[in-house]
């Protein structure tokens, strides 16, 4: 089974396109991200999801972000919070930080800057995930170094093969459809070739197996999964 070392991010914003953008970029980076559109939903998700970090809009339809943060702190969680808001006044910035926020970013923003700030807050808080390795049986993938090993042997992959393997390992033992794989790995940039997933999986299998126990399995009518078969 893949070892889940993903950062858990909760994005709270009542503008769905912003929340979805931040969550999508975070997922592409390998994080586990969920969204909430109200303060009430955010509090509920924080309890169930237990995030490592929260992006929190100050202007929500049912309560402001300060109230959400107060409720989170009252529940006993010390999760880091980065405010994301259209308010750009100095007083709001100071209030956000003095009320327990860890950083403050004003809309409009560059999502790359937001991700950089989130990583910095995670490092300062000691919540950065130190284990970057994904493993399935004797197969390992290090997301920091991008090194892939099968047993003691290094496996050399193309960038696309690496992204395909990483996606399969992150989601193991979930069976992934061809559409899911195509959307995540190629993002529809596949030159119109309908069999691009099958070809990539075939190439990846040849490199990974090489006389060893097969780890990538086809589930007929559904898609692919990477896992060790139980005998």
């Amino acid at each position: 089974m893949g070892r889940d070392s993903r950062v858990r991010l909760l994005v709270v914003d009542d503008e769905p396109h912003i929340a979805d953008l931040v969550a999508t970029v975070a997922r592409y980076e390998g994080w586990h991200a969920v969204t909430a559109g109200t303060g009430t939903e955010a509090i509920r998700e924080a309890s169930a999801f237990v995030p490592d970090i929260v992006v929190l809009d100050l202007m929500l339809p049912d309560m402001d972000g300060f109230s959400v943060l107060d409720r989170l702190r009252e529940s006993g969680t010390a999760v880091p919070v980065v405010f994301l808001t259209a308010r750009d006044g100095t007083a709001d910035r100071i209030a956000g930080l003095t009320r327990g926020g860890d950083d403050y970013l004003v809309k409009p923003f560059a999502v790359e800057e937001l991700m950089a700030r989130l990583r910095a807050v995670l490092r300062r808080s000691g919540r950065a995930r130190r284990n970057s390795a994904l493993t399935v049986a004797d197969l390992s993938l290090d997301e920091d170094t991008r090194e892939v090993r099968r047993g003691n042997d290094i496996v050399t992959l193309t960038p696309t093969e690496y992204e395909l393997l990483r996606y399969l390992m992150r989601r193991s033992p979930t069976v992934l459809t061809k559409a899911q794989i195509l959307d995540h790995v190629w993002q529809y940039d596949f030159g119109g070739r309908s069999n691009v997933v099958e070809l990539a999986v075939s190439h990846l299998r040849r490199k990974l197996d090489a006389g060893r126990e097969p780890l990538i399995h086809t589930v007929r009518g559904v898609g692919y999964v990477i896992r060790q078969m139980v005998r």
Side-chain angles (χ1 to χ4, degrees), residues 47-173:
S47 175
F49 181 59
V50 191
D52 294 305
I53 193 165
V54 177
V55 171
L56 179 58
D57 189 10
L58 277 183
M59 302 173 68
L60 296 170
D62 56 342
M63 65 180 81
D64 64 29
F66 294 141
S67 298
V68 174
L69 180 57
D70 289 343
R71 294 278 296 276
L72 292 177
R73 295 293 182 250
E74 288 168 5
S75 71
T77 180
V79 63
V81 171
V82 174
F83 284 116
L84 182 64
T85 180
R87 301 179 181 178
D88 59 357
T90 301
D92 285 322
R93 291 174 184 264
I94 294 173
L97 297 175
T98 56
R99 292 279 290 270
D102 296 87
D103 204 346
Y104 193 112
L105 191 61
V106 177
K107 300 176 183 179
F109 63 94
V111 71
E112 295 84 358
E113 180 183 0
L114 174 60
M115 292 301 298
R117 292 193 183 209
L118 292 175
R119 293 189 192 95
V121 169
L122 284 168
R123 287 194 298 270
R124 292 198 303 268
S125 68
R127 290 175 176 245
R129 301 285 176 159
R130 291 177 173 80
N131 182 9
S132 62
L134 301 172
T135 60
V136 175
D138 63 344
L139 175 66
S140 66
L141 180 151
D142 190 309
E143 294 186 285
D144 288 339
T145 65
R146 297 178 70 91
E147 181 180 85
V148 176
R149 287 182 176 270
R150 185 79 196 263
N152 295 322
D153 300 326
I154 294 178
V155 182
T156 302
L157 302 178
T158 67
T160 298
E161 290 167 348
Y162 173 85
E163 292 300 332
L164 171 59
L165 178 60
R166 182 167 65 165
Y167 185 46
L168 288 168
M169 293 182 74
R170 282 177 180 165
R171 298 295 302 276
S172 176

